[in-house]
């Protein structure tokens, strides 16, 4: 396909990555993003080997690694500090050829945005209409502007209006039963010796992701009814996790009250029947928002982006490319989403003391090799090559 143009709706991780990939495929791309500062700019993210491989395929792997910290040490613990499992990030990196990293979301966004020419980003513009009445072109309206494109990538997040429009019978996002409070510490954390850790209590999880400068993101995930809010979220987290092991108190002590973000966790519990319709492709959370219990949502969005770009580069028509994209991405991302839900039910969300005890005993008895294979199941992914056709 030559001389093609795409509009990407949404400049989150998925949308920016898709734009980078489509440009590598030789396309002209415009990204339309409604907000200048992202909702979760004050949070961090961990990227597993599959996400890092996707970023490398997009040509930004080294830049992301330079802004990130490799996650070598840590694992899972119980609130009194006893170890359930050890993470060996170096072994995983050897196995997969790419590291697991932790990075502030703003750092990841900066790298992705810098990989695109400034004129391809329309920040502060909200897409209000996608007109498909004159095929094969799709007309996208934002502000007082309209753009005609050969392809629209809807990377407009979990509450995607494009998805609602394409699949009006789909029930949309469902509440997962978990609410998450998180923050990045304002200073390096004393005594923080592990890169990445999760601690499971009864219906509660506390985790951290360390950054290169010694600061860290922590997250506290709680079973709660949807919509619960606290007048002083940091005080509430300190109360709930008061007797949990170090470095949890140290992480909370290094946090400014205003830094705490609070979001309810929703997911697309009902899988979509397709990620494409006509010349529109859904990508990232718009297609398969999943719970964060495997830390795979953004990694899957990055896989989507590379797969879409490779399909567009390799096929003769947009229709054939989108069909290839849907066939490659839907089974994998929906399996990861299902496994993330299960991981939450067996991990953070588990409340019954007997079930928690059995779960913990099972983890302690699991040989390290089996643990590694469980991680590999999601993180072992080889990106397709983005190679523009020459004829
Ligand atoms: P979004 O980031 O939601 O981006 C959508 C963008 O579209 C937004 O910027 C929005 O403003 C814009 N938009 C929407 N509508 C319009 C419109 N009409 N016009 C213009 N712009 C529009 N994933 C991991 O891989 N690792 C992790 O460690 C991890 N941790 C997580 C922790 C938590 C607590 C949560 C909730 C999620 C976590 N995830 C993680 C998942 C990850 O954050 C998401 O999967 C990822 O950010 C999705 O990116 P996206 O680009 O698809 O959507």
């Amino acid at each position: 396909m030559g001389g093609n143009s795409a509009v990407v709706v949404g400049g989150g991780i998925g949308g920016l990555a898709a734009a980078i990939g489509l440009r590598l495929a030789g396309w002209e791309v415009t990204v339309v993003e409604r907000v200048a500062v992202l909702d979760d700019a004050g949070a961090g993210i961990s990227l597993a080997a599959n996400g890092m491989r996707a970023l490398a395929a997009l040509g930004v792997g080294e830049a992301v690694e330079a802004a990130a910290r490799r996650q070598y040490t840590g694992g899972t613990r119980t609130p009194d500090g006893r170890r359930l499992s050890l993470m060996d990030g170096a072994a995983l990196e050897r196995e997969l050829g790419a590291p697991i990293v932790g990075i502030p979301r703003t750092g990841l966004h900066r790298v992705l945005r810098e990989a695109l020419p400034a004129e391809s980003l329309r920040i502060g513009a909200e897409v209000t209409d996608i007109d498909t009445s004159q095929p094969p072109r799709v007309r996208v309206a934002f502000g007082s502007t309209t753009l005609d494109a050969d392809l629209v990538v809807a990377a407009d997040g979990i509450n995607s209006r494009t998805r609602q429009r394409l699949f009006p019978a789909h029930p949309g996002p469902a509440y997962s039963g978990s609410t998450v409070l998180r923050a990045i510490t304002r200073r390096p954390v004393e005594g923080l010796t592990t890169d990445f850790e999760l601690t499971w209590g009864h219906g509660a999880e506390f985790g951290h992701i360390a950054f290169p400068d010694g600061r860290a993101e922590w997250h506290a995930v709680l079973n709660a009814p949807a919509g619960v809010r606290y007048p002083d979220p940091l005080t509430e987290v300190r109360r709930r996790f008061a007797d949990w092991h170090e470095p949890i108190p140290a992480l909370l002590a290094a946090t400014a009250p205003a830094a705490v973000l609070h979001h309810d966790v929703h997911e697309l519990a009902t899988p979509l029947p397709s990620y494409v319709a006509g010349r529109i492709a859904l990508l990232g959370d718009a297609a398969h928002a999943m719970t964060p219990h495997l830390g795979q949502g953004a990694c899957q969005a990055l896989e989507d982006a590379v797969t879409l770009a490779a399909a567009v580069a390799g096929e003769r028509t947009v229709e054939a490319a989108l069909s290839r994209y849907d066939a490659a991405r839907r089974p994998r991302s929906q399996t990861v989403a299902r496994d993330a839900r299960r991981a939450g039910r067996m991990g953070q969300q588990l409340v019954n003391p007997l079930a928690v005890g059995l779960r913990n005993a099972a983890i302690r008895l699991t040989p390290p090799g089996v643990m590694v294979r469980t991680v590999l199941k999601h993180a072992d992914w080889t990106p397709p090559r983005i190679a523009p056709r020459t004829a």
Side-chain angles (χ1 to χ4, degrees):
M1 283 179 272
N4 293 306
S5 66
V7 173
V8 178
V9 186
I13 295 166
L16 293 172
I20 297 168
L22 289 169
R23 279 177 50 80
L24 290 176
W27 281 50
E28 260 176 47
V29 187
T30 305
V31 180
V32 185
E33 168 55 56
R34 67 180 171 200
V35 296
V37 179
L38 298 168
D39 192 32
D40 51 8
I45 193 162
S46 72
L47 296 170
N50 55 323
M52 292 306 288
R53 280 184 171 172
L55 289 162
L58 296 173
V60 292
E62 283 179 17
V64 171
E65 273 193 50
R69 171 159 158 171
R70 288 175 184 225
Q71 309 284 289
Y72 284 150
T73 57
T76 49
R77 295 217 249 174
T78 54
D80 59 9
R82 274 181 299 163
R83 181 132 330 262
L84 287 173
S85 68
L86 260 179
M87 180 177 87
D88 186 347
L92 284 172
E93 183 176 342
R94 278 195 303 278
E95 189 83 31
L96 292 167
I100 307 169
V101 306
I103 184 170
R105 283 180 185 252
T106 45
L108 178 59
H109 271 270
R110 179 182 49 73
V111 170
L112 295 175
R113 282 191 184 181
E114 283 175 5
L116 291 165
E119 62 275 14
S120 69
L121 295 172
R122 306 286 176 87
I123 308 291
E126 177 162 9
V127 169
T128 47
D129 191 35
I130 300 177
D131 179 1
T132 52
S133 64
Q134 315 244 348
R137 304 289 276 171
V138 188
R139 178 161 289 180
V140 181
F142 50 97
S144 54
T145 309
T146 54
L147 272 185
D148 283 350
D150 300 291
L151 166 67
V152 170
V153 180
D156 46 352
I158 185 167
N159 295 313
S160 167
R161 283 213 297 262
T162 319
R163 183 187 64 238
Q164 283 162 26
R165 200 188 129 175
L166 298 179
F167 299 99
H170 186 271
Y175 182 52
S176 67
S178 299
T179 197
V180 56
L181 297 105
R182 53 196 165 144
I184 294 178
T185 61
R186 65 177 141 196
R187 55 175 163 77
V189 184
E190 253 171 66
L192 190 65
T193 52
T194 46
D195 299 322
F196 175 86
E197 207 150 49
L198 293 179
T199 302
W200 286 331
H202 296 78
E205 169 185 305
F206 194 100
H208 75 259
I209 302 169
F211 299 144
D213 61 4
R215 290 179 310 141
E217 187 224 54
W218 57 260
H219 67 260
V221 195
L222 302 167
N223 290 355
V228 165
R229 289 296 175 269
Y230 309 106
D232 180 348
L234 184 57
T235 301
E236 178 62 20
V237 177
R238 285 186 177 142
R239 186 186 71 74
R240 294 287 290 257
F241 295 89
D243 54 357
W244 287 37
H245 65 82
E246 285 292 354
I248 294 168
L251 284 155
L252 296 176
T255 302
V260 181
L261 306 173
H262 186 177
H263 293 97
D264 288 349
V265 177
H266 291 82
E267 61 160 331
L268 285 195
T270 306
L272 282 175
S274 175
Y275 289 175
V276 303
R279 288 184 165 221
I280 303 174
L282 294 168
L283 182 143
D285 277 10
H288 47 64
M290 59 191 71
T291 69
H293 295 104
L294 286 176
Q296 271 289 331
C299 294
Q300 291 302 307
L302 293 166
E303 287 190 13
D304 289 347
V306 175
T307 306
L308 179 66
V312 155
E315 296 288 346
R316 284 185 191 281
T317 65
V318 173
E319 287 74 13
L322 294 195
S323 162
R324 182 166 139 188
Y325 165 73
D326 180 53
R329 293 305 306 149
R330 205 153 33 90
R332 163 136 169 105
S333 56
Q334 292 181 350
T335 300
V336 177
R338 187 202 60 208
D339 288 356
R341 189 178 315 125
R342 284 185 185 159
R345 289 191 182 142
M346 290 309 294
Q348 174 264 313
Q349 293 182 330
L350 207 58
V351 177
N352 180 293
L354 185 64
V356 168
L358 287 172
R359 190 249 349 255
N360 290 355
I363 295 178
R364 285 200 183 94
L365 290 172
T366 303
V370 176
M371 284 289 189
V372 168
R373 276 200 294 284
T374 310
V375 176
L376 293 186
K377 187 175 159 206
H378 303 108
D380 192 3
W381 176 81
T382 305
R385 229 162 63 80
I386 305 171
R389 294 171 61 87
T390 46

